[in-house]
């Protein structure tokens, strides 16, 4: 027994539904387009994170800034203990330069600015710089 849609001599070709039935599928007929139920895979690329560049904050020795002032700055700006601040201050005094800490760019820049502002307000020529590590 043959159903009417399965005629082999139909103008739509063998095994093809009538043209009206193909148009009911939203015009997706034989044009090779996907149906509204096509699925795809969504891939997420994992972003490559990179550690920020680090900068050394350095104090430079001078002959005029009092040692006690340098110790107070190290305690205030760099959160050093009194003992650590004394060690850094003596290193700066003996070697001419001493490292106060290593920080990302923005943090290092802020610390240098704070040291320089504090020194200027207290009329001391203390110099503080930063360099890329």
């Amino acid at each position: 027994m043959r159903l009417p849609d399965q005629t082999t001599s139909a103008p739509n070709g063998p095994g093809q539904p009538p043209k009206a039935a193909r148009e009911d599928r939203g015009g997706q007929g034989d044009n090779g387009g996907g149906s509204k139920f096509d699925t795809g895979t969504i891939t997420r690329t994992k972003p490559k994170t990179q550690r920020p560049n680090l900068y050394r904050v350095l104090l430079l020795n001078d002959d005029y800034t009092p040692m006690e002032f340098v110790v107070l700055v190290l305690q205030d700006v760099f959160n050093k203990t009194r003992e650590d601040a004394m060690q850094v201050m003596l290193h700066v005094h003996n070697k001419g330069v001493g490292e106060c800490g290593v920080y990302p760019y923005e943090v290092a820049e802020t610390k240098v600015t704070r040291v320089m502002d504090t020194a200027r307000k207290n009329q001391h020529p203390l110099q503080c710089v930063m360099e890329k590590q």
Side-chain angles (χ1 to χ4, degrees):
M1 178 180 194
R2 258 197 296 178
L3 296 175
D5 288 340
Q6 296 177 341
T7 59
T8 55
S9 62
N12 299 326
Q16 292 288 325
K19 185 177 179 182
R22 280 186 282 158
E23 289 173 357
D24 288 341
R25 287 192 246 158
Q28 298 291 330
D30 293 331
N31 62 3
S35 72
K36 63 181 178 182
F37 299 109
D38 281 349
T39 59
T41 303
I42 297 174
T43 59
R44 293 184 184 169
T45 57
K46 188 174 184 180
K48 293 182 180 179
T49 56
Q50 183 178 351
R51 290 205 174 266
N53 292 327
L54 296 177
Y55 292 80
R56 298 171 60 203
V57 178
L58 306 171
L59 276 182
L60 306 178
N61 188 37
D62 64 75
D63 293 332
Y64 303 102
T65 305
M67 292 180 178
E68 188 59 32
F69 178 77
V70 174
V71 170
L72 292 174
V73 166
L74 288 166
Q75 287 178 293
D76 181 49
V77 177
F78 298 97
N79 300 319
K80 301 278 187 193
T81 64
R82 180 131 182 105
E83 294 76 26
D84 289 343
M86 288 290 287
Q87 286 180 348
V88 172
M89 179 273 300
L90 287 173
H91 189 271
V92 170
H93 180 70
N94 293 325
K95 304 289 184 183
V97 65
E99 182 179 289
C100 303
V102 179
Y103 307 96
Y105 181 82
E106 291 82 10
V107 176
E109 185 178 42
T110 302
K111 291 196 181 281
V112 168
T113 302
R114 285 185 60 195
V115 170
M116 297 297 287
D117 288 347
T118 304
R120 297 300 160 261
K121 286 178 186 172
N122 291 281
Q123 299 177 348
H124 296 299
L126 181 64
Q127 293 292 307
C128 186
V129 296
M130 58 189 251
E131 68 177 26
K132 195 170 186 178
Q133 189 176 23

